[in-house]
Amino acid sequence: MSQASLTSLFTPASKATQASSSFTQPSSSRSAGHTRKRSEAEDLSAVDVTPLKRPRVTASSRLQSVAPLAERLRPQSLEEFVGQPHLTGPNSLLMSQLERGATGSIIFWGPPGCGKTTLARLLAKRTDAVFKELSATDSGIADVRAVVEEAKNLLALTGRRTVLFLDEVHRFNKAQQDIFLPFIEQGYIQLIGATTENPSFRLTSALLSRCRVFVLERLTDDDIRRIITQAVERVSQTGSANPAGPARPTAGEERVIDDGSSDVASSQPDIEEPLNKPSPPTSQTSQLEPNPGPSSGQDASQSAHLFPAYPHLTPKVLSTIVSLSTGDARTALSLLELVLSASPASEEGKLLAALRRSVSTAYDRSGDARYDMISALHKSVRGSQGSAALYWLARMLSAGEDPLYIARRMVVCASEDIGLADNHALPLAIATYQACQIIGMPECRINLAHLVSYLSEAPKSTRAYEGYNRAEEAAKLDPSIPVPLMVRNAPTKLMKDLGYAREYKYNPEYAHPVTNDYLPIQFRGEEFLRKEGDKRDKIWDEDALRQWEFEENGGRPWSGRPPEPSGTSSNRSQPGEASSQQG
């Protein structure tokens, strides 16, 4: 026996061959039947062992699937951007600069959710610039330097500019803000800062001089409604009723074989579907557009469904979202996400209650809103508008404002605006401040309402306030003017010998009025505190008076109007009787 024959005896194949040959069936038909059965069994086993299939999942898609709805539905072009027509309009200054290829360094100032971040990204995308994004809440000078070094290298190699977007730029202190100055001047970066605080107070003058400030307004109700409608359309196009979760695979989706091993990146490029898909055909969009109203054959309940795919998104729910968002697109989309995640069978009343509980009042004690509201309260009291004053008082107290802060402002108002017209105003204001200290909230709101109402209806006089301002202006002209000898203090004999208080007439000793030299000779005869009814330097605006008569006096003439005014031109001095309506 040859060596090859000996080797073949110990191989598995030869053993199997020998075994099968030693038990060969005599009938050829039976052998063919067994062969067919074995082939069918192998086919079935091949189907059973086929690995499970799953959709292609990339790292970016995983991150995007867990992002909030507001982040996933950001506009991808300026044409999709909603709101701020004074900035994105065809004839706006910002768009004119964009057409020239560069916008320069910019500060976007506006309330939360008005589109500052989105607009910055779209501007960088339109100019084909590299977009780098930092937040002043978790970044420092080292992060800025790293971005600038990368921007310098990129500009030298490719000629592409870099736009650095710094969110919450007001969080940087003055020393940190100065880091941008040389880089902006040299053109290495274009800074776009976003802030909700007044740049005049929170940013350095050096940085402001190198940037243009654009103010973004709070979005209107129509803007919010349009954003919500577009969001529902885009969510409906994905075919997933729950926008928060990742889309499940369908029969037509591309699949990859999962052999149970760890996730290994595919060699094929990952193709992600953009959020802004092309508009579907008319037959599909007709189901997504708001229903204009019931037709002759429609039922009234069907007309209440703006979006048939989400029957629980009723007109009342939509209006509530618009109202609760208060011009904040991010809040509106967050509320919309709650609604879309709810069951279509949800009751409207419970859904509305849940939406209202999920929104807290936005009130920052250190922000501009606080000072805007206290200013509105003070001006309402000055204008004798008690209803408006009580409204702003309620707004501030309901938002959690310190009642002592309001009481202190009303103490000032009692002397500044009511003043000599009602000497009881100041004691009442002091008593109210003490009541707020003793009682506290919520009961002291009653004391504040009492004070605000009294001050609003009290007669107004600014004679003391304006008199002091005139005296202060005179005092600053020459602080070294000596006191007249007649009114100086003379407690010693030496001072009397020097002429102090000489010829001074002690007023209570006389049965009639007497005069002394009370003012320095430079201001002798000057009248800082003017007489009651003196209307010098007051403006007579006939148009403003007629507007007041029409809107607040029932169309009746003002009682202080002269019978025959000498003219109706604006900004002309005109004598007249003081009125409690004038402040």
Side-chain angles (χ1 to χ4, degrees):
M1 183 177 293
S2 64
Q3 185 69 22
S5 302
L6 291 174
T7 304
S8 64
L9 292 175
F10 296 96
T11 60
S14 62
K15 291 180 182 180
T17 305
Q18 291 178 0
S20 61
S21 61
S22 59
F23 295 98
T24 304
Q25 296 292 337
S27 173
S28 59
S29 61
R30 292 179 59 188
S31 176
H34 281 293
T35 303
R36 274 195 310 272
K37 292 179 180 180
R38 186 165 56 251
S39 176
E40 293 172 359
E42 289 174 356
D43 292 340
L44 292 175
S45 63
V47 174
D48 294 338
V49 300
T50 301
L52 297 176
K53 299 180 180 180
R54 60 180 176 85
R56 182 188 300 275
V57 180
T58 63
S60 60
S61 64
R62 288 193 185 98
L63 294 176
Q64 192 174 11
S65 65
V66 299
L69 188 65
E71 179 67 26
R72 288 185 282 125
L73 297 184
R74 286 188 185 272
Q76 300 300 313
S77 65
L78 285 171
E79 290 71 22
E80 298 179 6
F81 189 82
V82 178
Q84 316 303 334
H86 62 290
L87 296 181
T88 59
N91 298 324
S92 64
L93 177 62
L94 184 60
M95 292 298 104
S96 300
Q97 293 177 344
L98 190 62
E99 291 175 358
R100 293 195 293 266
T103 59
S105 294
I106 296 173
I107 300 295
F108 284 146
W109 173 30
C114 64
K116 298 184 294 293
T117 303
T118 300
L119 186 57
R121 293 179 180 178
L122 296 179
L123 292 178
K125 185 177 181 180
R126 177 67 67 88
T127 58
D128 194 29
V130 177
F131 186 79
K132 297 293 183 180
E133 185 172 347
L134 295 176
S135 176
T137 58
D138 60 359
S139 303
I141 293 180
D143 303 295
V144 176
R145 290 188 184 276
V147 172
V148 172
E149 288 300 321
E150 184 179 349
K152 290 168 59 177
N153 296 333
L154 186 66
L155 184 62
L157 293 176
T158 65
R160 294 183 67 189
R161 294 179 176 271
T162 298
V163 173
L164 172 58
F165 175 72
L166 183 63
D167 198 13
E168 305 292 338
V169 62
H170 61 274
R171 297 291 187 93
F172 270 12
N173 56 38
K174 293 184 178 181
Q176 289 175 314
Q177 292 178 27
D178 289 342
I179 191 66
F180 297 106
L181 303 182
F183 305 137
I184 294 176
E185 288 181 348
Q186 296 168 3
Y188 294 150
I189 60 171
Q190 292 180 4
L191 175 66
I192 299 182
T195 177
T196 57
E197 303 292 337
N198 193 329
S200 303
F201 304 136
R202 305 303 296 269
L203 301 185
T204 64
S205 57
L207 182 60
L208 287 177
S209 67
R210 292 163 174 81
C211 301
R212 282 172 292 276
V213 178
F214 290 98
V215 180
L216 281 77
E217 304 293 343
R218 189 177 298 277
L219 297 176
T220 64
D221 289 351
D222 291 338
D223 293 335
I224 296 295
R225 192 178 299 272
R226 180 181 171 190
I227 290 173
I228 294 174
T229 301
Q230 291 180 354
V232 176
E233 291 177 1
R234 291 169 66 177
V235 169
S236 301
Q237 290 171 12
T238 63
S240 175
N242 184 5
R248 296 184 179 180
T250 59
E253 267 188 297
E254 179 187 1
R255 297 173 178 269
V256 294
I257 298 176
D258 186 4
D259 56 358
S261 62
S262 61
D263 258 342
V264 180
S266 171
S267 59
Q268 299 297 325
D270 295 329
I271 302 177
E272 298 184 53
E273 224 173 345
L275 287 177
N276 53 337
K277 296 183 179 180
S279 299
T282 306
S283 60
Q284 297 178 7
T285 57
S286 61
Q287 298 179 352
L288 303 174
E289 293 295 331
N291 195 341
S295 61
S296 57
Q298 283 182 325
D299 185 60
S301 61
Q302 294 178 354
S303 66
H305 296 161
L306 293 175
F307 307 97
Y310 303 100
H312 53 301
L313 185 56
T314 61
K316 192 170 183 179
V317 172
L318 179 60
S319 299
T320 301
I321 294 177
V322 173
S323 176
L324 293 176
S325 64
T326 61
D328 188 334
R330 188 179 295 107
T331 300
L333 292 175
S334 299
L335 294 174
L336 176 65
E337 189 170 11
L338 292 177
V339 174
L340 299 185
S341 302
S343 170
S346 302
E347 297 182 11
E348 184 182 70
K350 294 182 179 179
L351 195 58
L352 294 176
L355 289 176
R356 294 188 181 97
R357 286 195 300 268
S358 65
V359 177
S360 60
T361 304
Y363 185 80
D364 185 5
R365 289 192 182 184
S366 62
D368 288 343
R370 181 194 202 193
Y371 303 107
D372 289 342
M373 287 191 186
I374 194 66
S375 176
L377 171 60
H378 193 152
K379 288 180 172 64
S380 300
V381 171
R382 178 183 299 151
S384 300
Q385 298 296 318
S387 298
L390 289 175
Y391 169 78
W392 293 116
L393 174 66
R395 278 282 300 271
M396 298 183 74
L397 292 178
S398 300
E401 181 56 77
D402 182 7
L404 294 178
Y405 172 73
I406 302 175
R408 282 194 296 269
R409 186 62 173 261
M410 291 298 99
V411 171
V412 175
C413 179
S415 290
E416 177 184 346
D417 296 291
I418 287 80
L420 299 175
D422 187 347
N423 292 322
H424 298 289
L426 182 58
L428 178 61
I430 297 296
T432 302
Y433 181 83
Q434 294 174 345
C436 292
Q437 287 180 315
I438 298 172
I439 299 175
M441 284 292 286
E443 287 82 3
C444 73
R445 76 189 191 281
I446 306 173
N447 306 109
L448 285 172
H450 176 192
L451 174 63
V452 167
S453 301
Y454 182 88
L455 297 181
S456 298
E457 296 183 351
K460 307 298 188 296
S461 172
T462 58
R463 287 198 303 132
Y465 175 63
E466 293 177 353
Y468 175 79
N469 290 338
R470 286 188 286 268
E472 183 181 37
E473 184 178 354
K476 290 180 178 179
L477 293 177
D478 188 357
S480 62
I481 297 178
V483 178
L485 290 174
M486 183 179 292
V487 292
R488 289 188 187 182
N489 185 30
T492 66
K493 183 178 182 301
L494 175 62
M495 296 175 117
K496 292 180 181 178
D497 294 340
L498 292 174
Y500 285 25
R502 183 178 299 170
E503 298 181 358
Y504 170 70
K505 304 175 184 65
Y506 183 59
N507 302 78
E509 292 181 350
Y510 292 86
H512 53 78
V514 294
T515 183
N516 293 294
D517 295 336
Y518 299 107
L519 280 172
I521 191 171
Q522 294 89 335
F523 301 108
R524 196 163 295 170
E526 188 72 29
E527 190 177 22
F528 298 122
L529 179 62
R530 295 179 178 175
K531 302 299 182 181
E532 184 177 358
D534 191 332
K535 296 298 181 181
R536 280 179 292 173
D537 302 330
K538 302 297 182 181
I539 298 173
W540 183 278
D541 191 333
E542 185 68 22
D543 293 335
L545 176 58
R546 289 179 178 177
Q547 182 182 5
W548 177 85
E549 291 173 340
F550 177 76
E551 295 183 1
E552 300 184 24
N553 205 37
R556 298 183 301 273
W558 173 48
S559 58
R561 177 186 285 278
E564 292 180 3
S566 58
T568 58
S569 60
S570 179
N571 298 338
R572 182 173 61 84
S573 177
Q574 171 71 28
E577 181 183 348
S579 172
S580 63
Q581 285 84 1
Q582 284 189 331

